[in-house]
Amino acid sequence: MIEFWVVLTGLLVGVTCGIAGVFLILRKMSMIADAISHTVLFGIVMAYIITQSLNGLWMLIGAAVAGILTAYLVQLLHSSGIQEDAAIGVVFTSLFAAGVLLITLFASNVHLDVEHVLMGEIAFVPWDRWTVLGLAMPKAVWMLLLVLVINIVFLLLFFKEMKLATFDPVYAATIGIPVVFLHYGFMTSISFTTVAAFDSVGAILVVAMLIGPAATSYLISKTIKQMFIYSMLFGAGASVIGYYLAKLWDTSIAGMMATTVGLLFIITLISQKIIERRRKALVHKLELS
């Protein structure tokens, strides 16, 4: 039963991050995922300081606020003339350092340490349970299911608007689409996804799950809908394969999951290049015949 919960958690992380990562890739915002995955620490610590509770709901709210603050500050600095990558770097390091400092000052005696937030440990997931409506499941599973529903609902409600705002934001704004609202709504969903996932795989490895499956699916997809499907499959596949390889070799589960994400990307990239080269060679041969 313990293995079931660990594998299920990995699947949920892969699918949830797979959905969230598609528009990150399409909107060329991969690095902001890295920033948010670290700055949510600031939001989590602030939520604890205000509520004096480690309740998951308050953690989600704190992380969402931190994610929105990160996106707002990056956009503000970028609008003032600072390059986007520099703006991300400044906001990322400043808020993350502030979170570490607040832990040291106000939460040093609480189980809220930087290593736990960054690295996580999926093997411990089955032992921390919530009972909702008489159903007892690991806290990480409840949180991931909640965030998965949020991501799916956001996608169903705003898919066309997000697609248009991604590829032609100026036109989207001129026809009345709330581009700014969509941007911050999307950043909120990324924040939720990050804080829900790092209990199991850690904030650093969330970046691999957010970016890797979506980037891999981008290589082989012809439509955005295909990209979503492949991204979820790659994310779920990397989680399951990574778990069993980690079990086989007795190594870090989260680390092996992230490594599997990278291997799937490399394999897909090489396969695509080989297929493309053969296709060009065949076309050239047919032109000469």
Side-chain angles (χ1 to χ4, degrees):
M1 194 64 179
I2 292 176
E3 182 174 290
F4 168 77
W5 289 122
V6 173
V7 173
L8 177 61
T9 302
L11 276 170
L12 288 173
V13 170
V15 172
T16 305
C17 290
I19 291 175
V22 170
F23 276 116
L24 277 175
I25 293 293
L26 294 176
R27 295 164 75 94
K28 300 179 181 179
M29 297 176 64
S30 301
M31 288 309 299
I32 200 131
D34 187 25
I36 289 178
S37 70
H38 287 72
T39 58
V40 290
L41 176 64
F42 174 77
I44 289 171
V45 178
M46 287 301 299
Y48 169 75
I49 291 173
I50 294 171
T51 66
Q52 292 297 303
S53 170
L54 291 175
N55 183 282
L57 177 61
W58 294 117
M59 300 298 100
L60 274 176
I61 294 173
V65 172
I68 295 171
L69 179 63
T70 301
Y72 175 78
L73 291 176
V74 169
Q75 187 64 35
L76 181 66
L77 292 176
H78 182 51
S79 300
S80 66
I82 298 175
Q83 291 183 349
E84 187 173 23
D85 57 344
I88 291 173
V90 170
V91 175
F92 160 27
T93 52
S94 298
L95 290 184
F96 181 64
V100 174
L101 183 62
L102 289 173
I103 286 180
T104 305
L105 292 175
F106 302 107
S108 58
N109 297 322
V110 181
H111 184 57
L112 188 64
D113 57 276
V114 178
E115 183 179 355
H116 173 72
V117 171
L118 293 182
M119 301 307 297
E121 182 45 76
I122 196 170
F124 295 156
V125 163
W127 309 110
D128 187 5
R129 300 197 172 202
W130 283 350
T131 301
V132 179
L133 300 176
L135 181 61
M137 292 197 302
K139 180 184 75 172
V141 172
W142 282 116
M143 291 178 67
L144 286 165
L145 284 173
L146 173 62
V147 174
L148 179 59
V149 171
I150 291 173
N151 287 348
I152 291 174
V153 170
F154 181 80
L155 189 63
L156 291 175
L157 290 176
F158 302 110
F159 178 72
K160 292 182 179 179
E161 291 80 0
M162 280 292 294
K163 184 167 63 173
L164 186 56
T166 296
F167 294 107
D168 196 344
V170 176
Y171 176 69
T174 59
I175 62 174
I177 292 177
V179 176
V180 175
F181 168 79
L182 289 176
H183 175 73
Y184 289 114
F186 179 57
M187 288 297 101
T188 302
S189 74
I190 295 297
S191 302
F192 282 159
T193 302
T194 301
V195 75
F198 71 44
D199 249 0
S200 50
V201 297
I204 291 177
L205 301 180
V206 167
V207 180
M209 287 296 185
L210 279 171
I211 304 305
T216 307
S217 67
Y218 182 79
L219 296 173
I220 60 175
S221 301
K222 295 182 179 179
T223 66
I224 296 180
K225 291 181 179 179
Q226 281 186 4
M227 192 173 171
F228 274 104
I229 294 172
Y230 289 141
S231 183
M232 288 187 289
L233 290 175
F234 280 125
S239 298
V240 175
I241 294 170
Y243 170 76
Y244 284 106
L245 287 178
K247 184 178 179 181
L248 177 65
W249 293 328
D250 191 24
T251 186
S252 167
I253 298 174
M256 184 55 70
M257 286 179 177
T259 301
T260 306
V261 170
L263 289 174
L264 288 176
F265 176 81
I266 292 171
I267 292 170
T268 304
L269 179 63
I270 293 174
S271 301
Q272 186 200 41
K273 294 296 184 182
I274 292 173
I275 293 171
E276 182 66 20
R277 184 173 297 178
R278 289 182 176 178
R279 187 190 68 81
K280 288 182 178 180
L282 180 60
V283 171
H284 183 65
K285 185 177 179 180
L286 290 174
E287 289 176 348
L288 293 177
S289 61

